[in-house]
Amino acid sequence: MPQSVQVRNTHELYYLRTQQAQEKMERSEKRLKQRLRVCVATCNRADYSKLAPIMFGIKSHPEIFDLEVVVLGSHLIDDYGNTFRMIEQDEFDIRSKLHTIVRGEDEAAMVESVGLALVKLPDVLQRLAPDILLVHGDRFDALALATAAALMNIRILHLEGGEVSGTIDDSIRHSISKLAHYHAVCTRSAERHLISMCEDHSHILLAGCPSYDKLLSAHQRDDYTDIIKSWIGDDVKEQNYIVALQHPVTTDIQNSIKIYELMLDALISFNKRTLILFPNIDAGSKEMVRVMRRKGIEQHPNFRAVKHVPFDQFIQLVAHAGCMIGNSSCGVREAGAFGTPVINLGTRQTGRETGENVLHVRDADTHNKIYHALELQFGKRYPCSKIYGDGNAVQRILKFMQSINLSEPLQKKFCFPAVKECISQDIDHILETQSALAVDLGGTNLRVAIVCMKGKVVKKYTQLNPKTFEERIELILTMCKQAMADAVHLNCRILGVGVSTGGRVNPQDGIVLHSTKLINEWSSVDIRTPISSALHLPVWVDNDGNCAALAERKFGHGKGVENFVTIITGTGIGGGIIQHNELIHGSTFCAAELGHIVVSLEGPECMCGSHGCIEAYSSGLALQREAKRLHDEDLLLVEGMTVNNKEQVNAIHLINAARLGNSKAESILHTAGTALGLGIVNILHMINPSLVILSGVLSEHYENPVRQVISQRALLSAQGTKVMVSELEDPALLGAASMVLDYTTRRTY
């Protein structure tokens, strides 16, 4: 009997364990089905413009997310437009409104506001009990949010951390990053900064700026003229007005007020219609408003002073403005998406990455400086910039939040030191490679390639070059669009487009001034604008010789060499000069036309119209001309050589004939090598480089003759100059890519 009881108990125990396991599994499945509670806290009009796209994304997936909205800070102040109303107009249910601002607009008021927020936030966060709190940026309100959430063991996702702007905002931003558990950053530099700050690279998402998801489609709106008229006036036309937005710098309040006053004086003198927004609530803003009122800006006929403009309308006003001026981050970030000219005043955005549309006036200490900057920038247009995003930030962030493991320990882990370099982590933990689209516009073929940061050609496309300008541009765009589509699958992030072309090029404006005879109809042609407008990417254009030099500087023998010259020996003769690590263009973009150095007064005619140029002796076309002459005189072929009747005689036949002992061919090649060597000796005596790189299909044949001429003809101090043959397979494509990959975006005035 006891044995049967024991058996029964064993069966009951087995059943009990099975039931418990099933219940545990059901609880686990139920937990997985529960929605992720996300609290989005917004403090002011600026951070709402970044958070709103994410909020709409969360709201569109009610089966996955449960959105809670908390509003605090200047949203709830009448003087700053009561901007919480636009959140309600967007049909978001605001769960809590916290009045956290202590008025005074000075340093003490900012500190008191942080303290007041810390008093009020715990009750709200305890009641909402979110799984994740989204905090944006670098405002003192956001610091209070992050502090409260961290102390209450709530996971924090910080947006736009890791950036550098050069003010107290940096300290606040980095403090929030140290409190946050997860990060969604806009740029690779910001990502690197966070990694160097010992943040866990697996918790960093390179997403881009959420506002860019809306910005990049902003030009498609048809009602922008109505928006301009409603805010600035019925008689105001596109690109004929200014948007001004200047905030106080809390670490240098008096100087920022002075700059603000000088800006207003310059705008009054410039005499253009101007939309000016009130400054934010930082310490010093009250004094700035007093300056504005003392100058009568609100009553001035050229000015429209407003406290707030809805973001979707504001970006239309910025997109179509003749210029934006001030120190708002919008100028160095969002305005770049439209190519709007920007004048950045003072030091508030000193460390930000910027596009070429931004002109910095760091020391804005005179009215004339600011006025002159307005003259330089007003009415210009620049290539669209995607430094801060590619339009896919929200979907990346939503996937990133879904991937957060809530059962993972909440305690932050730091990496001492950063264990990986240049990490770019998308939501599937796959490395996205920074890449460029490179375009080589040759006489025969048009080539497009995806080139990564290390100089690898990931994929290449080749088509015959059409005859007309319109057909060429259409083919370039078609090939680039195909490459961009392929880049997504190849996991390459395209940063811009570099174009290499023959002829004389103005790289500042992206214009081919004079093309070679090989590429007709390309004189005074703007290549940059149609490509940039169609692809929404920045575009750089330069001469193929210059591109070859840039390729060597980044990927070839010129890497780490301060002064060197690259000579291209192909169909023509070209090159590029690197002096003190910079490419030399010359006053009329005619520098490094090395093929047209004259080495003989009585030499053969060159395609440029002159006589005795290096190109007339040493280019592939010159050798082809001589090969045809010998062939017509039956002096080309020697034993072991044949030329098919259908085959066109070219430079290769001449080289083969010389190798087989044809004395006439040997003499021609000797003359060609001597001419090239004499030209290089002239270069050595003019700019004294430490290295000469021979590139192109004929480079190997000219290496020894060039060295021999240098040893015989160069001055003693120049005879030791190194001569090397390039090892790069596609210097034109790699050079075009390097313009994108190496471009310095920050300009200083």
Side-chain angles (χ1 to χ4, degrees), residues 104-113 249-254 282-284 287:
E105 284 78 23
D106 58 15
E107 295 94 331
M110 291 169 63
V111 176
E112 291 169 355
S113 297
V249 177
T250 56
T251 52
D252 193 3
I253 293 173
Q254 292 307 312
D282 282 351
E287 288 82 356

Side-chain angles (χ1 to χ4, degrees), residues 540-556:
W540 291 265
V541 185
D542 213 330
N543 167 269
D544 51 6
N546 289 335
C547 285
L550 292 174
E552 294 293 340
R553 184 181 70 176
K554 184 167 181 65
F555 305 114

Side-chain angles (χ1 to χ4, degrees), residues 228-245:
I228 293 170
K229 289 177 181 179
S230 66
W231 285 100
I232 308 174
D234 293 337
D235 57 338
V236 178
K237 296 182 179 179
E238 180 182 5
Q239 296 183 23
N240 198 34
Y241 63 90
I242 297 169
V243 175
L245 180 51

Side-chain angles (χ1 to χ4, degrees), residues 243-313:
V243 175
L245 180 51
Q246 180 89 358
H247 299 303
V249 177
T250 56
T251 52
D252 193 3
I253 293 173
Q254 292 307 312
N255 187 51
S256 63
I257 293 169
K258 177 187 174 184
I259 292 175
Y260 188 66
E261 187 167 4
L262 291 171
M263 179 191 76
L264 294 178
D265 289 338
L267 288 170
I268 292 169
S269 301
F270 199 65
N271 199 31
K272 291 289 182 182
R273 298 293 284 275
T274 301
L275 177 72
I276 184 165
L277 279 80
F278 278 62
N280 65 21
I281 200 168
D282 282 351
S285 60
K286 186 186 294 184
E287 288 82 356
M288 292 175 74
V289 173
R290 285 181 187 140
V291 169
M292 183 170 68
R293 285 173 175 161
R294 189 170 67 245
K295 291 185 176 293
I297 295 299
E298 291 171 293
Q299 291 76 39
H300 196 289
N302 271 351
F303 287 83
R304 175 78 189 277
V306 298
K307 295 176 181 176
H308 168 68
V309 179
F311 183 69
D312 60 336
Q313 298 182 39

